[in-house]
Amino acid sequence: MDYNTFLDTITRRAPVPPEKAEPLTRATLETLAERLTRGEAEDLASELPKPLKEPLVSPTPEAEPFGLDEFINRVSRRAGVSPDEAREGVRAELSTLRDAVSDGEFRHVMSQLPRDFEALVGAPG
């Protein structure tokens, strides 16, 4: 999936204005990089288009242990959107990542996140 298709998919899946898709995408990936181990963030980045790789550069080798609510709050602050918009953006982002990367890679990412992330994303489809 190329960069523009990725952003178009986010725009279709999240009930946010199109101009918020890119800031939401960047904020979600930056927050994901904090939540994943550096190795997993690098593995995920390796399967994404170039503009999506940079936000996945992990600031530390270890994953920060925070849950879904803190994840949503960080995305909300970074993207300058409401927590509700951030939640919808994260949901759209994770479901788009599921479509954009290999099944194995997506499972590895989700295995490092609390179970409430799986409930947010829902079943493939």
Side-chain angles (χ1 to χ4, degrees), residues 15-30:
V16 296
E19 66 273 9
K20 292 187 178 177
E22 191 167 9
L24 269 170
T25 295
R26 183 170 196 80
T28 300
L29 292 175
E30 287 172 359

Side-chain angles (χ1 to χ4, degrees), residues 60-72:
T60 62
E62 299 300 318
E64 287 185 47
F66 54 86
L68 181 59
D69 288 342
E70 176 60 18
F71 194 100
I72 299 295

Side-chain angles (χ1 to χ4, degrees), residues 26-88:
R26 183 170 196 80
T28 300
L29 292 175
E30 287 172 359
T31 307
L32 197 56
E34 293 170 344
R35 188 61 186 78
L36 300 175
T37 61
R38 180 178 290 159
E40 190 53 51
E42 289 171 352
D43 289 349
L44 177 59
S46 75
E47 294 193 22
L48 293 172
K50 188 171 184 175
L52 299 175
K53 293 178 189 300
E54 184 204 327
L56 280 166
V57 174
S58 179
T60 62
E62 299 300 318
E64 287 185 47
F66 54 86
L68 181 59
D69 288 342
E70 176 60 18
F71 194 100
I72 299 295
N73 288 335
R74 289 182 187 202
V75 170
S76 173
R77 284 192 307 271
R78 283 188 169 123
V81 298
S82 73
D84 287 342
E85 287 175 314
R87 178 176 292 276
E88 288 304 312

Side-chain angles (χ1 to χ4, degrees), residues 94-112:
L94 291 175
S95 64
T96 303
L97 279 174
R98 179 178 51 210
D99 295 342
V101 302
S102 67
D103 288 342
E105 181 53 37
F106 188 74
R107 280 196 306 274
H108 288 153
V109 167
M110 294 306 287
S111 74
Q112 290 195 13

